[in-house]
Amino acid sequence: MKENENLEAARENTGVDDQIKELAALIKDSNKTIVLTGAGMDTESNIPDFRSKDGWWRKMDPRAVASIDTFYQNYDLFWEFYKMRYNLLQECAPHRGHYILAEWEEKGLIHGIATQNISRLHALAGSKKVYELHGNIRTFRCNHCHRDASVEEYLEKKNCQYCGKKALRPKVTLFGESLPADAWDNSIREVQSSDLLMVIGTSLEVYPVNAIPKMAGGKTAFINNEDRGRDYHFDVRIKGKAKEVLSKLDGILNEME
Ligand code: APR
């Protein structure tokens, strides 16, 4: 019995390694590679995702805390939720996978990252071209007069220093709001003109970002640790953890240099 199980595991494992080698070749051959990341890119930096078993939305209804309606109807709850998420971030740092993507940009292996994540871990790892499709939780503004506010003013629950309203919020895209136009336009332009789109760590559940993979101009690859996006065509599907798969890819690409 044991021998069969090992054989099965070995066969499955070989499959993943073959797919990783296939993706490495696509990266090497591509003149323009764009990466699209979701919360699965940040879980190995101890930031929970949303829809896997320990995700945020397993514990609470997103529209109850992360929507523009909640901002207006229950500011205290809204404020508390984002204060807690901001404070959680202070313990978190980019992992090896974020640094690898930043190194690949430096080497000209990738040409931009469109992310759904609000952590800014890609930028902190050194990535320069990052399109924040859902904004970020490290900068703040007044929802009424739109002027910037400091994180201290937000955490101290101050009123806006310009218009006096109690309306400070992080510059994230809330449920019920449209995405930042520049991040969206840049992402679509880059994805449509890419030779390769790598999608990493997303359930592909949330519109309109989940429409992006179908706009890809060239080949597509999906790296995720659970089966998702069964109705999508990906040229390469790799079931695995972002940090581990990116590290293996990096090793193969270094050998190809
Ligand atoms: N490596 C690879 N995949 C992972 C890892 C990991 N280390 N950890 C989690 N995943 C996978 C999960 O299995 C899941 O399929 O990443 C996916 C994350 O999916 P979601 O939790 O739905 O996150 P995301 O797709 O980014 O959500 C999109 O929804 O609530 C909104 O604004 C929020 O930006 C978010 C959007």
Side-chain angles (χ1 to χ4, degrees):
M1 200 40 193
K2 194 87 182 94
E3 196 180 310
N4 284 349
E5 280 171 356
N6 290 339
L7 200 60
E8 196 46 46
R11 192 175 294 125
E12 200 173 278
N13 208 3
T14 317
V16 171
D17 288 344
D18 285 346
Q19 287 156 339
I20 291 176
K21 285 189 190 111
E22 192 179 338
L23 178 50
L26 289 179
I27 296 169
K28 205 73 189 161
D29 291 347
S30 169
N31 293 317
K32 184 169 185 178
T33 298
I34 301 297
V35 179
L36 170 64
T37 59
M41 183 72 211
D42 285 359
T43 52
E44 290 163 281
S45 290
N46 300 319
I47 300 177
D49 65 11
F50 298 94
R51 294 174 185 81
S52 57
K53 62 180 172 27
D54 306 320
W56 283 111
W57 305 152
R58 295 282 180 216
K59 305 176 186 94
M60 60 186 82
D61 169 11
R63 295 187 186 280
V65 285
S67 72
I68 189 62
D69 292 343
T70 305
F71 173 88
Y72 287 116
Q73 290 156 14
N74 189 341
Y75 183 76
D76 292 341
L77 175 65
F78 172 91
W79 175 81
E80 192 63 47
F81 178 65
Y82 281 100
K83 183 183 101 175
M84 178 264 293
R85 284 190 69 187
Y86 176 85
N87 288 336
L88 254 181
L89 261 189
Q90 303 323 300
E91 317 295 320
C92 304
H95 60 65
R96 180 75 194 119
H98 295 102
Y99 287 107
I100 285 172
L101 291 177
E103 288 161 15
W104 287 1
E105 181 184 41
E106 194 67 32
K107 292 177 183 173
L109 285 171
I110 67 167
H111 304 82
I113 300 175
T115 187
Q116 299 172 89
N117 301 338
I118 61 176
S119 63
R120 285 206 147 162
L121 292 187
H122 286 303
L124 284 172
S127 289
K128 302 279 183 297
K129 276 194 177 174
V130 182
Y131 309 112
E132 295 179 330
L133 290 161
H134 290 167
N136 72 79
I137 197 171
R138 295 185 193 266
T139 55
F140 298 81
R141 66 175 172 83
C142 173
N143 194 65
H144 182 72
C145 69
H146 296 269
R147 289 214 192 69
D148 284 354
S150 69
V151 59
E152 293 74 22
E153 287 171 311
Y154 179 78
L155 294 179
E156 288 156 26
K157 214 173 186 177
K158 292 272 179 66
N159 289 11
C160 171
Q161 62 167 312
Y162 301 102
C163 71
K165 298 277 187 198
K166 185 164 289 302
L168 301 187
R169 54 166 289 173
K171 292 184 180 178
V172 296
T173 305
L174 300 172
F175 282 101
E177 290 187 316
S178 44
L179 276 60
D182 55 341
W184 176 256
D185 294 345
N186 284 329
S187 301
I188 299 309
R189 184 194 64 243
E190 293 302 279
V191 166
Q192 286 177 330
S193 59
S194 66
D195 301 321
L196 173 63
L197 172 66
M198 293 173 63
V199 181
I200 306 175
T202 177
S203 61
L204 295 166
E205 289 281 323
V206 177
Y207 183 81
V209 175
N210 65 357
I212 289 181
K214 295 179 178 170
M215 300 180 192
K219 299 258 188 213
T220 54
F222 187 44
I223 298 169
N224 208 60
N225 72 351
E226 65 178 8
D227 280 336
R228 284 284 183 168
R230 293 317 305 170
D231 55 336
Y232 288 73
H233 165 72
F234 286 106
D235 297 290
V236 178
R237 272 181 188 269
I238 297 170
K239 189 167 178 181
K241 300 187 82 168
K243 179 165 66 172
E244 182 186 351
V245 173
L246 287 168
S247 302
K248 284 186 173 176
L249 279 167
D250 193 43
I252 296 169
L253 289 166
N254 288 337
E255 282 163 20
M256 292 161 100
E257 270 177 9

